[in-house]
Amino acid sequence: MEPPVLSFNSNDTTNNGNCTTDFDIITWFEDVSKNAGSVQTQTLCKILKQNYGVEYLKTWLGSYNISEMDACALESLFTSVVPLASHADFEPYIQKIADGDTGPILTQQPITTLSLSSGTTEGRQKFVPFTRHSAQTTLQTITLAAAYRSRVYPTREGGRILEFIYSSNQFKTKGGLKVGTATTHYYASEEFKTKQEKTKAFTCSPYEVISGGDYKQSTYCHLLLGLFFSDHVEFISSAFAYGIVQAFCTFEEVWRDLCNDIRDGTLSSRIMLPQMREAVLGTITSNPSLASKLEEACLELEVVDWFGLVPKLWPNAKYLYSIMTGSMQPYLKKLRHYANGVPLISADYGSTESWIGVNVDPCLAPEKVTFAVVPTFSYFEFIPLYYRQKQDFSSVADHDFMEDEPIPLSQVKVGQEYEIALTTFTGLYRCRLGDVVEVAGFHNGTPKLNFICRRKLILTVNIDKNTERDLQIVVEKGSQLLNKAKAELVDFTSHADVSNNPGCYVIFWEIKGEAEDKVLEACCREMDAAFVDHGYVVARKTSSIGPLLLCIVERGTFKKILDYFVENGAALGQFKTPRCTNNPVLLKILSACTIKTFRSTAYI
């Protein structure tokens, strides 16, 4: 029996002609999650029988008649003979597709669209196949998560969503395939339009604003339209928490212009894209009373450094909704400053390759959020990970964990950490995702995952091994001293500098407010001493790793980094500040913008 499919056909109606209800959607997920193990087996069977005979699989499955095999036998065969793979193993095949080869290379159905990963994690963008299935699972994820949120935070039908969402520019490969970010493809799809109809909540901004291609102009228009519909906004959203913070930082600078536009029914000359101007001017009208009300609120907010901006300007907003885990956690403090008690709800867990899980417990704080795996999206395997013993000083960066053989979803254990491997409907087979997750519990029979970090080590000089999570803990400890001095950490990144001997860690901070040098020296010392990795502590004590350097960069430095990524094809909605970088362009920006440097006196 194939796993039940959640249908979003506009002809599927219940409840006197209304679209599928929240009850129907949740009932569907409760059903598939109760039988998650068998649903996974059937999902893999469906993927393999749809794509039997493709070039990639022929090496291992070419001699088997899988069309005659039952699902359990096929699962056993597949996981025993097809090897685990990294994205690099698929790159030659994806490049053939990009160059115009229309044969069955990864899938039996021709792939006509490729997604670009953000490139902020590994320093370069990757091609990932995108199909109609990708858009459909995005719609399923959004609608399913919305159904669980509406149980706790019901919204008014016909309300508005202030969404800070952005498409990137698209281009075509040599073979004529359309390339863009996965979000760009989704915003242009029928599924995005269907999403608004299904949830009965409509984004404040027309498509011309979302697809403008200039994030600064789009952000201004998002803010303007969000203010124009301020009493109708039910919640505020972006792909990543950074997107909301970036938009509100922009608001602090341009609010007077926004109020003038609302008063006069005009649009600032900074908006130069004709289609965007036409769409916005076709939406707003002159509203002097609203403008005066907003001006009064903003003058009050300026005095308190914009504390409580959200409830003051959007009084009916029920929550802020965005991905808030992993590298987004450092922005939570600023979000809470703006929100002043308006709940923060972490959005769902996925990657460019596949959606993975949904947040079915929206009451949980972002730091405690878990994601229930949706067993129909892809076939998931879990590679058990174990931290190496402290005395193991292997200098190979990939040896951050010991690992066991992959296991299916049905065999995972609570409290164990795993790396996820995906087999997708879009042509990736046992592809390692690089994410470290912990099983926090179960929703019926499907695991609830806690995202831990990217597996890749981001700071290492020799025997030291520090991950993104380690760095975030260290920076948080250092920034607590900064906060006591009434200054604020805006953003940060790091670099393992091995150009000199001994090598050392360099942490770059952009700060808001004034902090005396003695405070910044203490922050530097605190961070150096806060790394608990045994290899790092030993290397610092023996001076085989030098003192940590804290570099203070001028205001606006991280916007320059954002602009660099956007200019090279990333979309703002996809952007994540790289927490560690060896990118020479970024290091050049950071070096040029450094205004002060402090050397740790820990271990002296």
Side-chain angles (χ1 to χ4, degrees), residues 72-100:
C72 291
L74 185 51
E75 181 180 31
S76 177
L77 173 68
F78 175 76
T79 55
S80 62
V81 301
V82 177
L84 288 169
S86 69
H87 191 273
D89 295 307
F90 294 97
E91 284 181 346
Y93 299 90
I94 296 174
Q95 192 60 54
K96 285 176 68 174
I97 295 168
D99 290 342

Side-chain angles (χ1 to χ4, degrees), residues 424-489:
T424 72
F425 284 92
T426 57
L428 302 179
Y429 304 94
R430 306 195 81 197
C431 182
R432 303 177 76 131
L433 193 56
D435 286 358
V436 178
V437 298
E438 179 186 34
V439 175
F442 287 87
H443 182 86
N444 297 321
T446 198
K448 290 162 67 173
L449 306 179
N450 176 22
F451 178 86
I452 301 297
C453 62
R454 294 287 296 173
R455 178 168 179 176
K456 185 178 180 182
L457 287 169
I458 64 169
L459 279 174
T460 182
V461 172
N462 43 54
I463 64 172
D464 51 308
K465 305 177 190 301
N466 283 294
T467 65
E468 180 178 293
R469 178 174 56 173
D470 299 323
L471 175 64
Q472 287 185 183
I473 291 170
V474 164
V475 169
E476 176 60 28
K477 287 186 176 180
S479 65
Q480 288 173 2
L481 300 178
L482 190 67
N483 296 337
K484 290 178 181 177
K486 307 301 181 185
E488 174 189 337
L489 179 61

Side-chain angles (χ1 to χ4, degrees), residues 105-182:
I105 297 172
L106 292 174
T107 63
Q108 285 290 350
Q109 294 296 315
I111 293 170
T112 59
T113 307
L114 295 173
S115 292
L116 276 175
S117 68
S118 66
T120 51
T121 301
E122 297 182 0
R124 65 185 183 91
Q125 293 181 291
K126 301 177 295 186
F127 284 159
V128 178
F130 183 96
T131 67
R132 181 75 188 274
H133 182 272
S134 308
Q136 289 172 336
T137 55
T138 298
L139 175 60
Q140 289 184 19
T141 300
I142 291 170
T143 313
L144 179 58
Y148 279 98
R149 290 200 309 279
S150 69
R151 285 179 156 187
V152 184
Y153 305 105
T155 56
R156 296 174 297 175
E157 187 170 304
R160 295 274 182 169
I161 312 169
L162 173 50
E163 292 187 287
F164 297 105
I165 52 179
Y166 309 84
S167 292
S168 65
N169 293 322
Q170 295 178 312
F171 63 92
K172 290 195 173 181
T173 66
K174 185 174 75 174
L177 276 70
K178 188 190 302 180
V179 179
T181 63

